[in-house]
Amino acid sequence: MDNKTRGTVEMTAAMTISGTIGWFVVRSGQPVMDVVFWRCLFGAITLLVVCAALGLLRGAMTWRRAGIAALGGVAIVINWLLLFAAYPRASISIATAVYNTQPFMLVGLGALFLSERLTAAKLTWLAVAFIGVLLIVQVGPAASAGTDYLAGIALALGAAFAYAVAALITKKLAGTPPHLIALVQVCVGVLMLAPLANLAHAPRDAQTWGILVTVGVVHTGLMYILLYGAIQRLPTHLTGSLSFIYPIVAIVVDIAAFGHRLQPAQFLGAAAILLAAAGMNLGWSPTRWLRARAGSARAE
């Protein structure tokens, strides 16, 4: 199996795993704080074993880089807390769709703090995504499968912003083994949430423990390993294309497992957000396309 094929398989598996996490979070029946704590703990154990096996625990990260990674870990943990809290309020489908506004938040942060240029194409896709969010919001709580629709959307937007902050911070860690960055981040999550999680009343049944271990080992440890392996093997445009397996799987799981079907306006809004995110990630340029069409029309 060549590198490109292997990377495609790894990315597809990673995004499929990510798309199912909402089901596990909701089915666990545990408070969000507890779910994220156990995710971090079991994920840390898995990533520690992997990093040790790869020889990454000795001299692979300076204290300064560890501090930057830890700061990103705070943002990642906040991202998980907000996203998981959004699921029961706005449904997994809507929360995941709104969460995919993260590329636009990263672009905005890059313009503010890294002096990155905002092009006409980026602004166009930002406008499309904004229209998508408006379509979803205007449906209102009555048409939602969740219990607090607008709060769920706000939480998903907050999760997207926290992820964008984490991604911006991680840009400063270029050259650092990504598995090691992930290990630091989940260890930070364990330390952050240990005083807040309800450890005195841990789950008693095997099914709940099975779900929590799966979220930590599979959805965190294994998913990170597959994701970073794919990123190292695939060109950026292919990585961006395959990343949209995640929201599609999440929507399918939400429909199949919970019967949550999108209203027409919600469907259009979700489609607009995903289209805009695809355009942003893959570098599509609406203005260039329009100019090409105009030139073709004149030539005829």
Side-chain angles (χ1 to χ4, degrees):
M1 186 182 293
D2 59 49
N3 263 354
K4 186 174 182 180
T5 302
R6 181 175 175 181
T8 299
V9 171
E10 289 175 336
M11 189 68 184
T12 300
M15 293 300 96
T16 302
I17 290 170
S18 294
T20 63
I21 193 169
W23 183 91
F24 286 86
V25 171
V26 173
R27 285 299 188 196
S28 74
Q30 298 297 300
V32 169
M33 196 77 68
D34 293 8
V35 175
V36 178
F37 170 78
W38 293 114
R39 178 183 194 180
C40 290
L41 180 61
F42 292 126
I45 294 169
T46 306
L47 288 166
L48 180 63
V49 171
V50 171
C51 288
L54 295 175
L56 299 177
L57 298 180
R58 293 185 178 181
M61 182 180 285
T62 64
W63 283 107
R64 178 180 175 276
R65 285 179 171 263
I68 295 172
L71 189 60
V74 173
I76 282 291
V77 171
I78 292 172
N79 155 63
W80 289 341
L81 289 170
L82 295 176
L83 182 60
F84 292 178
Y87 288 152
R89 292 172 170 83
S91 83
I92 294 170
S93 300
I94 293 300
T96 303
V98 173
Y99 180 63
N100 273 272
T101 57
Q102 54 186 265
F104 307 100
M105 297 186 184
L106 182 57
V107 165
L109 291 173
L112 283 173
F113 298 106
L114 301 179
S115 300
E116 295 179 350
R117 191 166 63 93
L118 285 174
T119 64
K122 290 178 180 178
L123 291 173
T124 300
W125 292 126
L126 175 60
V128 172
F130 181 69
I131 291 169
V133 173
L134 288 181
L135 284 170
I136 289 173
V137 169
Q138 66 86 34
V139 172
S144 166
T147 56
D148 194 347
Y149 189 59
L150 295 181
I153 291 173
L155 287 165
L157 287 170
F161 180 77
Y163 182 88
V165 170
L168 188 71
I169 293 170
T170 304
K171 283 177 178 285
K172 298 183 178 295
L173 296 172
T176 303
H179 305 80
L180 199 54
I181 296 173
L183 174 61
V184 171
Q185 290 175 339
V186 290
C187 286
V188 166
V190 173
L191 295 176
M192 277 178 64
L193 300 179
L196 303 173
N198 191 18
L199 303 182
H201 298 89
R204 297 182 180 275
D205 60 292
Q207 180 179 343
T208 302
W209 276 117
I211 289 174
L212 295 174
V213 170
T214 301
V215 168
V217 175
V218 177
H219 291 89
T220 307
L222 177 60
M223 193 278 292
Y224 269 122
I225 293 165
L226 291 170
L227 177 63
Y228 291 142
I231 288 172
Q232 291 170 353
R233 294 181 175 90
L234 295 176
T236 302
H237 74 275
L238 190 51
T239 302
S241 299
L242 293 172
S243 68
F244 289 95
I245 293 172
Y246 160 51
I248 292 170
V249 171
I251 291 171
V252 170
V253 167
D254 200 23
I255 294 171
F258 302 107
H260 293 166
R261 298 186 182 276
L262 300 181
Q263 301 294 318
Q266 291 174 320
F267 180 82
L268 288 174
I273 292 170
L274 297 182
L275 173 65
M280 180 74 78
N281 283 335
L282 302 179
W284 296 342
S285 175
T287 53
R288 189 162 57 239
W289 181 81
L290 289 173
R291 285 197 298 267
R293 291 283 295 178
S296 176
R298 284 195 298 269
E300 292 174 359

